[in-house]
Amino acid sequence: MTKAATAGPAPSSPAAIARDAAALAQRSGPQAAYSLLLRAEVAAGWRKPSLAIYDHTLHLIGGGEKYGCTMAEALQDDFDVTLIAHRPVTTADLMAWYDLDLSRCRIKIMPLSFFPGDEAINPDRVSERSENPFFAVSRESGNYDFFVNNSMLEMVYPLAAVSLFVCHFPERPKGPYFYADRYPHLIYNSRYTAGWIQKKWGIAGGRHIYPPVDMEPSGAAAPKENIILSVARFESGGSKQQAEMVAAFARLLAREPQATRGWKLVLCGGSASPNPYLERLRADLASRPGLPVELRVNIALDELRRLYARAAVFWHFCGLGQSNPANVEHFGMSTVEAMQNGCLPIVFDGGGQREIVEEGVSGFRFSSAAQLLERTLLALREPGLRQRLGAQARRRGTEFSRAVFTEKVRDLLGGLAADYAARPGAGAPG
Amino acid sequence: MKSGTQEAIMDEKLKEEIARLKDAYGARRDESRSLDELAGGPVRHHYPVDPWSLSDSELDNEMGKRLGFLNDDIDCRPTAAVTSHRRFIGPVIVFCKKLLLKALRPYTNSLFVRQNRFNEQLVAFHLASFIRLRRIEERLQRLERERSGIDDAGIPPA
């Protein structure tokens, strides 16, 4: 990771600032001089530092996007926050999607001609032969004191005085237009992600901040019902493995009819339309009449809360049988949501799930189908165990709350802002 | 009181100067066409991809991308216009080059045609291999799933 380009500003006299800016422009270009002037304004206390949070998929609902928006909410009182997106989206949309207050933030939409119309903004289309469509974002980043790249998009070169790279997983190898190592600060969402950042990009260090999860029930805990719940997006590639869940549940019912009597599997999640994977899943369920499996697609947040409150057991398969580390859950927000509601989690033993579920204490982890069936049967047969582990899961879930996230974000950015605004002698940020 | 007023005046002057400088450097910055100019020095933009370090899906992506490049480069006939940077004798040089190229075209064309044909076959062959590999992989994944016990093809007997 590189150091920030600007030195400490000294807004002592007009002549001095003009001299310093000229010297910096000569040495490091006009952007460095511009950043120095921005910093001088903050150091003089004339305004709050400006901060941009960039996300190339801000217009879509997702865990990574929620991470960035929750950062914005945490920082909007101390910074002048702008959210940068490429497709139309409003703060009202984001507030409704993630139940956040973003009233003091603004949004800047920057269309990219490289991805016209409604075409997906897919960085995999960029190669060393093409132009870098994200150069426009680099240029824009230079207009702010702080720039947060919440896109894990390594193709954006940061030009702000203080830049942070939030990585939810290093999705692409180190290749064309790779600038992730140009950010002075790295934030990662799990130790699993940190390991892969080092392995794939050779970048170590950074700050670990787990994603914010806020699904804790507002009132008293509702009585649990015989529901095995799964909450995961119906990915077109099937990486969340709902089909495998149906097969496993069917197998469980057939093998242990006594223990599984009265239980049902509820598969809940968002889906784009059309979704061939979801259609195949529907067809599969139609071919198995009588199988107690319910599909709940794109349901409202309130309905999801009620389902979490009622479900006794939670399944998460993502990563089972996968050879690609990107297809293993990098963290697992829905697992934490279930835990905050006292569901007993039974999850794949890999990726970020290992950091959430303490085996045998706050849930179970499995690495094979046999283990999954054995642990699920154990949970189904013993209500006392379900209750005990569910209570531990609830306790564990509070460690990933929005309050914890907000505190960590404010602590990190508050420290950087104090350094940034300090007069000479306090040291340059970065 | 007096020093407070002086400070306020100085602040005002500083604000004005910073605003002026921001306009000036902002304009210079907007004129910069490349990232290297903006960053104030040469920037390393690309890293060679090490295929051994890639996961299966990354390799898929990489193969698709490279195959696309090969496809773009099938036609290897020279396309760049004949030019010369010399001010006075430039047109003469261009004329001679064009003449030479025209004279040689019957010979070079046969070579380029053969090379183009070879390139087309090579790309077609690679594409077929790629598809074949994908099918084998899908089969392998299905077999692995069946072996792991979560077979979505049907419910095994109790």
Side-chain angles (χ1 to χ4, degrees):
Chain A
M1 293 262 137
T2 58
K3 282 272 173 191
T6 54
S12 51
S13 73
I17 195 85
R19 195 182 53 237
D20 289 352
L24 199 55
Q26 180 75 23
R27 203 168 59 239
S28 308
Q31 175 60 54
Y34 190 83
S35 294
L36 174 81
L37 298 165
L38 289 179
R39 189 175 174 187
E41 290 175 332
V42 175
W46 297 335
R47 61 169 177 82
K48 287 193 283 191
S50 57
L51 180 142
I53 299 178
Y54 166 65
D55 198 325
H56 74 291
T57 52
L58 190 67
H59 59 289
L60 303 173
I61 302 176
E65 292 74 13
K66 182 181 178 182
Y67 194 106
C69 289
T70 313
M71 275 182 112
E73 187 196 53
L75 299 171
Q76 63 184 340
D77 289 328
D78 300 320
F79 293 82
D80 186 8
V81 177
T82 303
L83 292 155
I84 301 176
H86 294 307
R87 297 271 190 262
V89 64
T90 64
T91 46
D93 292 335
L94 301 171
M95 284 160 74
W97 292 344
Y98 307 123
D99 191 21
L100 293 168
D101 171 20
L102 299 171
S103 54
R104 270 101 63 216
C105 300
R106 72 172 77 89
I107 291 202
K108 177 158 189 168
I109 310 292
M110 295 178 63
L112 296 178
S113 55
F114 192 90
F115 305 102
D118 290 335
E119 190 184 311
I121 299 167
N122 180 8
D124 286 337
R125 277 194 46 214
V126 180
S127 74
E128 61 271 32
R129 285 193 168 197
S130 67
E131 55 167 316
N132 180 2
F134 303 104
F135 177 46
V137 183
S138 294
R139 199 184 267 284
E140 175 66 17
S141 72
N143 290 325
Y144 303 89
D145 300 293
F146 288 70
F147 176 68
V148 180
N149 182 346
N150 183 52
S151 253
M152 52 187 163
L153 187 54
E154 71 285 2
M155 296 173 186
V156 177
Y157 187 99
L159 288 168
V162 185
S163 302
L164 298 93
F165 191 85
V166 179
C167 191
H168 305 284
F169 195 77
E171 289 194 319
R172 281 165 294 280
K174 201 170 178 174
Y177 301 114
F178 180 84
Y179 309 121
D181 55 354
R182 308 297 302 188
Y183 288 75
H185 306 281
L186 169 73
I187 299 175
Y188 52 88
N189 62 342
S190 67
R191 288 194 293 274
Y192 176 72
T193 296
W196 280 101
I197 294 171
Q198 178 146 32
K199 194 167 177 182
K200 289 179 86 168
W201 291 350
I203 301 172
R207 186 75 75 99
H208 181 191
I209 303 180
Y210 280 123
V213 185
D214 43 14
M215 198 53 79
E216 284 156 319
S218 48
K224 290 291 185 188
E225 296 173 28
N226 291 353
I227 296 173
I228 299 176
L229 178 67
S230 154
V231 178
R233 211 175 8 230
F234 293 94
E235 296 272 10
S236 55
S239 66
K240 302 290 183 182
Q241 310 202 33
Q242 285 95 344
E244 282 78 1
M245 286 188 196
V246 172
F249 188 62
R251 189 171 176 162
L252 201 63
L253 290 182
R255 215 169 72 177
E256 299 285 341
Q258 202 66 30
T260 54
R261 181 161 298 146
W263 282 86
K264 67 176 174 182
L265 172 67
V266 178
L267 302 175
C268 179
S271 168
S273 184
N275 184 339
Y277 178 75
L278 185 59
E279 292 318 309
R280 277 204 305 276
L281 201 60
R282 284 190 209 278
D284 180 33
L285 287 175
S287 72
R288 303 175 190 223
L291 192 69
V293 178
E294 286 177 22
L295 278 186
R296 303 281 184 91
V297 184
N298 294 331
I299 61 169
L301 188 63
D302 276 351
E303 197 183 339
L304 179 64
R305 282 186 190 280
R306 283 197 293 275
L307 267 174
Y308 273 130
R310 287 163 52 210
V313 174
F314 178 81
W315 268 4
H316 201 66
F317 281 25
C318 183
L320 180 65
Q322 295 292 325
S323 60
N324 182 358
N327 288 344
V328 178
E329 199 65 77
H330 315 145
F331 174 65
M333 290 172 88
S334 61
T335 300
V336 180
E337 289 175 346
M339 290 169 82
Q340 288 178 342
N341 282 273
C343 307
L344 190 165
I346 302 175
V347 301
F348 175 65
D349 186 17
Q353 304 278 308
R354 283 183 181 156
E355 298 167 45
I356 301 169
V357 177
E358 307 142 303
E359 170 62 19
V361 178
S362 54
F364 291 125
R365 301 198 303 255
F366 65 90
S367 44
S368 68
Q371 259 183 4
L372 161 78
L373 299 182
E374 175 220 314
R375 272 149 207 209
T376 305
L377 268 178
L378 188 67
L380 266 48
R381 281 184 180 136
E382 294 186 32
L385 178 84
R386 282 204 305 271
Q387 210 163 16
R388 202 172 63 248
L389 266 61
Q392 286 298 319
R394 199 187 294 274
R395 173 209 43 91
R396 177 71 172 153
T398 59
E399 294 172 27
F400 304 93
S401 66
R402 187 192 291 183
V404 172
F405 176 84
T406 299
E407 193 188 323
K408 288 189 173 181
V409 167
R410 284 192 180 143
D411 177 52
L412 173 63
L413 270 297
L416 292 174
D419 281 350
Y420 183 72
R423 301 272 170 165
Chain B
M1 184 69 190
K2 195 180 172 188
S3 73
T5 315
Q6 276 175 341
E7 208 170 275
I9 292 169
M10 181 56 100
D11 262 11
E12 252 340 283
K13 280 185 180 168
L14 256 173
K15 267 185 196 170
E16 279 170 21
E17 180 63 358
I18 286 177
R20 187 188 68 78
L21 291 169
K22 270 174 77 179
D23 283 347
Y25 287 112
R28 272 182 59 188
R29 195 184 56 154
D30 294 345
E31 283 163 16
S32 306
R33 295 284 70 149
S34 73
L35 186 56
D36 302 62
E37 269 182 79
L38 280 170
V43 172
R44 180 165 186 189
H45 300 281
H46 308 302
Y47 291 82
V49 175
D50 171 17
W52 291 101
S53 71
L54 302 184
S55 66
D56 289 350
S57 62
E58 284 170 344
L59 270 174
D60 263 6
N61 191 28
E62 191 63 15
M63 286 168 81
K65 208 181 255 185
R66 302 295 147 190
L67 201 54
F69 290 165
L70 286 177
N71 196 45
D72 292 344
D73 289 344
I74 280 181
D75 192 348
C76 58
R77 281 172 301 181
T79 51
V82 179
T83 56
S84 171
H85 66 279
R86 292 174 198 273
R87 198 169 170 190
F88 298 110
I89 58 162
V92 182
I93 293 174
V94 167
F95 177 76
C96 292
K97 276 184 182 172
K98 279 185 176 171
L99 203 67
L100 190 68
L101 281 174
K102 204 166 186 176
L104 292 174
R105 192 161 295 157
Y107 307 101
T108 55
N109 263 4
S110 68
L111 283 175
F112 285 135
V113 165
R114 278 184 66 190
Q115 185 64 54
N116 285 0
R117 212 178 293 146
F118 178 81
N119 292 352
E120 273 170 25
Q121 296 305 319
L122 202 63
V123 170
F125 174 79
H126 276 302
L127 181 63
S129 306
F130 184 64
I131 294 168
R132 184 98 176 89
L133 186 69
R134 284 293 286 272
R135 286 184 183 162
I136 291 171
E137 257 178 9
E138 277 167 18
R139 232 182 112 190
L140 184 67
Q141 274 171 7
R142 206 168 51 242
L143 288 169
E144 277 178 349
R145 266 206 311 274
E146 284 172 21
R147 199 173 143 256
S148 76
I150 304 175
D151 175 13
D152 58 359
I155 306 166

